[in-house]
């Protein structure tokens, strides 16, 4: 028996079971609820962890240095002769 014959015979056997289901009453069921709840809990724990890590950050930006005037020499510049 080839793979296509096996797939065809499986489809023929499952087709009557699919016809018994009312398409308007199909729901995700308990498994769908469990998956959704696990994803919700994972997001909640990730947000809690992110808030904890963000509160630990102590960042103070230093004020920007002002540009020296055009005639003034800086420490790095060599004196002109």
């Amino acid at each position: 028996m080839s793979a296509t014959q096996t797939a065809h015979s499986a489809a023929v056997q499952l087709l009557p079971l699919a016809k018994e289901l009312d398409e308007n009453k199909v729901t995700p069921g308990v498994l769908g609820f469990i998956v959704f709840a696990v994803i919700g809990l994972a997001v909640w724990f990730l947000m809690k962890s992110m808030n904890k890590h963000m509160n630990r950050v102590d960042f103070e930006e230093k004020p920007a240095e002002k540009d020296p005037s055009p005639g003034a020499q800086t420490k790095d510049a060599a004196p002109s002769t």
Side-chain angles (χ1 to χ4, degrees):
M1 211 174 205
S2 70
T4 56
Q5 290 175 342
T6 306
H8 178 67
S9 65
V12 170
Q13 291 174 355
L14 295 176
L15 191 58
L17 294 175
K19 287 182 181 179
E20 293 176 9
L21 294 176
D22 185 9
E23 292 181 8
N24 296 325
K25 293 184 179 180
V26 175
T27 62
V30 176
L31 180 62
F33 174 75
I34 291 171
V35 169
F36 188 76
V38 167
I39 291 172
L41 283 172
V43 168
W44 184 74
F45 279 117
L46 285 171
M47 292 295 291
K48 189 174 178 180
S49 175
M50 183 187 70
N51 281 332
K52 185 170 68 172
H53 283 85
M54 292 300 288
N55 286 334
R56 289 182 183 175
V57 173
D58 185 24
F59 176 74
E60 292 182 17
E61 188 173 352
K62 295 178 183 178
E65 296 180 11
K66 295 181 180 178
D67 291 336
S69 61
Q73 294 181 357
T74 60
K75 293 179 184 178
D76 296 335
S80 60
T81 55

